[in-house]
Short mmCIF file of all heavy atoms in Angstrom, two decimals:
data_model
loop_
_atom_site.label_atom_id
_atom_site.label_comp_id
_atom_site.label_asym_id
_atom_site.label_seq_id
_atom_site.Cartn_x
_atom_site.Cartn_y
_atom_site.Cartn_z
N LEU A 231 9.07 4.61 5.68
CA LEU A 231 8.96 5.05 4.29
C LEU A 231 7.64 4.47 3.82
O LEU A 231 7.35 3.22 3.87
CB LEU A 231 10.16 4.56 3.38
CG LEU A 231 10.07 5.07 1.97
CD1 LEU A 231 11.51 5.32 1.47
CD2 LEU A 231 9.38 4.10 1.07
N THR A 233 5.13 4.35 0.47
CA THR A 233 4.86 4.55 -1.00
C THR A 233 3.39 4.85 -1.12
O THR A 233 2.54 4.33 -0.39
CB THR A 233 5.24 3.46 -1.91
OG1 THR A 233 4.50 2.24 -1.60
CG2 THR A 233 6.79 3.14 -1.69
N VAL A 305 11.07 0.96 8.82
CA VAL A 305 9.77 0.38 8.41
C VAL A 305 9.55 0.73 6.96
O VAL A 305 9.56 1.97 6.61
CB VAL A 305 8.63 0.86 9.30
CG1 VAL A 305 7.32 0.26 8.72
CG2 VAL A 305 8.82 0.36 10.76
N LEU A 306 9.26 -0.23 6.13
CA LEU A 306 8.83 0.04 4.70
C LEU A 306 7.40 -0.41 4.52
O LEU A 306 7.01 -1.52 4.82
CB LEU A 306 9.73 -0.75 3.84
CG LEU A 306 9.28 -0.89 2.33
CD1 LEU A 306 9.17 0.49 1.70
CD2 LEU A 306 10.21 -1.78 1.53
N ILE A 307 6.61 0.52 4.15
CA ILE A 307 5.23 0.24 3.80
C ILE A 307 5.05 0.26 2.30
O ILE A 307 4.97 1.38 1.71
CB ILE A 307 4.21 1.23 4.47
CG1 ILE A 307 4.50 1.44 5.92
CG2 ILE A 307 2.75 0.84 4.25
CD1 ILE A 307 4.24 0.28 6.85
N ASN A 308 4.94 -0.87 1.70
CA ASN A 308 4.76 -0.97 0.23
C ASN A 308 3.27 -0.87 0.01
O ASN A 308 2.59 -1.81 -0.18
CB ASN A 308 5.36 -2.21 -0.30
CG ASN A 308 6.82 -2.22 -0.53
OD1 ASN A 308 7.32 -1.29 -1.18
ND2 ASN A 308 7.53 -3.27 -0.16
N ASN A 309 2.84 0.44 -0.21
CA ASN A 309 1.35 0.68 -0.30
C ASN A 309 0.89 1.03 -1.74
O ASN A 309 -0.19 0.73 -2.09
CB ASN A 309 1.04 1.84 0.65
CG ASN A 309 -0.40 2.39 0.33
OD1 ASN A 309 -1.37 1.74 0.60
ND2 ASN A 309 -0.41 3.59 -0.24
N LEU A 338 6.68 -2.74 -6.37
CA LEU A 338 6.93 -3.27 -5.04
C LEU A 338 8.36 -3.90 -4.87
O LEU A 338 9.12 -3.53 -3.93
CB LEU A 338 5.92 -4.33 -4.60
CG LEU A 338 5.99 -4.92 -3.27
CD1 LEU A 338 4.63 -5.34 -2.71
CD2 LEU A 338 6.91 -6.17 -3.25
N MET A 349 18.48 -2.82 5.61
CA MET A 349 17.92 -3.54 6.72
C MET A 349 18.79 -4.73 7.02
O MET A 349 18.98 -5.01 8.28
CB MET A 349 16.46 -3.94 6.43
CG MET A 349 15.53 -2.75 6.32
SD MET A 349 13.80 -3.41 5.98
CE MET A 349 12.87 -1.92 6.20
N HIS A 356 11.33 -3.76 9.19
CA HIS A 356 9.97 -4.26 9.18
C HIS A 356 9.40 -3.85 7.79
O HIS A 356 9.37 -2.71 7.39
CB HIS A 356 9.16 -3.69 10.29
CG HIS A 356 7.87 -4.43 10.58
ND1 HIS A 356 7.20 -4.28 11.73
CD2 HIS A 356 7.14 -5.32 9.83
CE1 HIS A 356 6.07 -5.07 11.66
NE2 HIS A 356 5.98 -5.73 10.51
N ILE A 357 8.89 -4.95 7.04
CA ILE A 357 8.32 -4.65 5.76
C ILE A 357 6.82 -4.97 5.77
O ILE A 357 6.46 -6.15 6.18
CB ILE A 357 9.02 -5.40 4.64
CG1 ILE A 357 10.52 -5.08 4.60
CG2 ILE A 357 8.34 -5.17 3.34
CD1 ILE A 357 11.28 -6.15 3.80
N ILE A 358 5.98 -4.09 5.46
CA ILE A 358 4.54 -4.38 5.31
C ILE A 358 4.14 -4.13 3.87
O ILE A 358 4.31 -3.04 3.27
CB ILE A 358 3.70 -3.37 6.21
CG1 ILE A 358 4.04 -3.62 7.71
CG2 ILE A 358 2.25 -3.64 5.98
CD1 ILE A 358 3.63 -4.90 8.26
N ASN A 359 3.65 -5.18 3.22
CA ASN A 359 3.09 -5.08 1.87
C ASN A 359 1.62 -5.04 1.91
O ASN A 359 0.95 -5.83 2.61
CB ASN A 359 3.56 -6.41 1.09
CG ASN A 359 5.05 -6.43 0.92
OD1 ASN A 359 5.76 -5.36 0.76
ND2 ASN A 359 5.59 -7.63 0.85
N ILE A 360 1.07 -4.03 1.24
CA ILE A 360 -0.36 -3.87 1.17
C ILE A 360 -0.94 -4.74 0.00
O ILE A 360 -0.67 -4.38 -1.16
CB ILE A 360 -0.77 -2.42 1.13
CG1 ILE A 360 -0.23 -1.63 2.22
CG2 ILE A 360 -2.33 -2.30 1.11
CD1 ILE A 360 -0.54 -2.12 3.65
N GLY A 361 -1.57 -5.79 0.33
CA GLY A 361 -2.08 -6.65 -0.69
C GLY A 361 -3.56 -6.31 -0.93
O GLY A 361 -3.96 -5.23 -1.03
N THR A 386 5.49 -11.58 -0.41
CA THR A 386 5.50 -11.46 1.01
C THR A 386 6.09 -12.72 1.75
O THR A 386 6.95 -12.70 2.56
CB THR A 386 4.18 -11.07 1.60
OG1 THR A 386 3.66 -9.80 1.02
CG2 THR A 386 4.25 -10.78 3.16
N MET A 389 9.78 -13.16 0.87
CA MET A 389 10.59 -12.32 1.64
C MET A 389 10.76 -12.81 3.09
O MET A 389 11.90 -12.69 3.62
CB MET A 389 9.93 -10.88 1.62
CG MET A 389 9.91 -10.06 0.43
SD MET A 389 9.29 -8.47 0.67
CE MET A 389 9.37 -7.75 -0.96
N LYS A 399 11.22 -8.25 10.14
CA LYS A 399 9.86 -8.74 10.09
C LYS A 399 9.24 -8.49 8.73
O LYS A 399 9.52 -7.50 8.11
CB LYS A 399 8.96 -7.95 11.10
CG LYS A 399 9.34 -8.07 12.52
CD LYS A 399 8.44 -7.30 13.43
CE LYS A 399 8.84 -7.31 14.83
NZ LYS A 399 7.83 -6.60 15.73
N VAL A 400 8.45 -9.44 8.28
CA VAL A 400 7.78 -9.24 7.02
C VAL A 400 6.26 -9.67 7.10
O VAL A 400 6.01 -10.73 7.65
CB VAL A 400 8.41 -10.08 5.86
CG1 VAL A 400 7.66 -9.84 4.51
CG2 VAL A 400 9.90 -9.71 5.73
N GLY A 401 5.41 -8.77 6.74
CA GLY A 401 3.91 -9.15 6.79
C GLY A 401 3.17 -8.48 5.73
O GLY A 401 3.70 -7.65 4.93
N ALA A 402 1.92 -8.89 5.59
CA ALA A 402 1.02 -8.32 4.55
C ALA A 402 -0.39 -8.00 5.15
O ALA A 402 -0.79 -8.84 6.05
CB ALA A 402 0.89 -9.19 3.35
N ILE A 403 -0.99 -6.97 4.76
CA ILE A 403 -2.30 -6.66 5.11
C ILE A 403 -3.17 -6.63 3.89
O ILE A 403 -2.82 -5.95 2.86
CB ILE A 403 -2.39 -5.30 5.84
CG1 ILE A 403 -1.62 -5.36 7.18
CG2 ILE A 403 -3.85 -4.88 6.13
CD1 ILE A 403 -1.35 -4.07 7.88
N ILE A 442 -4.62 -0.44 11.74
CA ILE A 442 -4.02 -1.85 11.70
C ILE A 442 -2.54 -1.83 11.48
O ILE A 442 -1.78 -2.50 12.11
CB ILE A 442 -4.82 -2.77 10.72
CG1 ILE A 442 -6.28 -2.93 11.14
CG2 ILE A 442 -4.15 -4.09 10.55
CD1 ILE A 442 -7.14 -3.63 10.14
N ILE A 443 -2.16 -0.99 10.49
CA ILE A 443 -0.68 -0.93 10.14
C ILE A 443 0.06 -0.37 11.37
O ILE A 443 1.09 -0.91 11.71
CB ILE A 443 -0.53 0.00 8.93
CG1 ILE A 443 -1.04 -0.61 7.69
CG2 ILE A 443 0.95 0.28 8.72
CD1 ILE A 443 -1.17 0.26 6.45
N THR A 446 0.37 -2.99 13.94
CA THR A 446 1.38 -4.08 13.45
C THR A 446 2.79 -3.66 13.69
O THR A 446 3.62 -4.46 14.11
CB THR A 446 1.06 -4.33 11.97
OG1 THR A 446 -0.25 -4.84 11.81
CG2 THR A 446 1.97 -5.42 11.41
N VAL A 447 3.09 -2.36 13.35
CA VAL A 447 4.55 -1.95 13.36
C VAL A 447 4.90 -1.54 14.77
O VAL A 447 6.12 -1.11 14.91
CB VAL A 447 4.82 -0.90 12.37
CG1 VAL A 447 4.50 -1.38 10.96
CG2 VAL A 447 4.02 0.39 12.62
N ASN A 454 5.78 -10.78 15.12
CA ASN A 454 5.60 -10.40 13.74
C ASN A 454 4.14 -10.85 13.37
O ASN A 454 3.87 -11.99 13.33
CB ASN A 454 6.59 -11.03 12.84
CG ASN A 454 6.35 -10.73 11.39
OD1 ASN A 454 6.10 -9.57 11.08
ND2 ASN A 454 6.46 -11.70 10.51
N ILE A 455 3.31 -9.86 12.98
CA ILE A 455 1.95 -10.13 12.42
C ILE A 455 2.15 -10.44 11.00
O ILE A 455 2.38 -9.47 10.17
CB ILE A 455 1.04 -9.06 12.71
CG1 ILE A 455 0.91 -8.81 14.27
CG2 ILE A 455 -0.36 -9.25 12.11
CD1 ILE A 455 0.03 -7.71 14.76
N ALA A 456 2.05 -11.67 10.59
CA ALA A 456 2.48 -12.14 9.28
C ALA A 456 1.53 -11.82 8.21
O ALA A 456 1.84 -11.54 7.03
CB ALA A 456 2.95 -13.49 9.30
#
Side-chain angles (χ1 to χ4, degrees):
L231 183 146
T233 65
V305 175
L306 166 60
I307 311 292
N308 276 315
N309 167 70
L338 181 150
M349 291 182 171
H356 197 162
I357 302 165
I358 298 290
N359 296 325
I360 305 303
T386 301
M389 287 180 182
K399 301 181 184 183
V400 182
I403 297 170
I442 293 169
I443 293 170
T446 300
V447 300
N454 178 42
I455 298 176

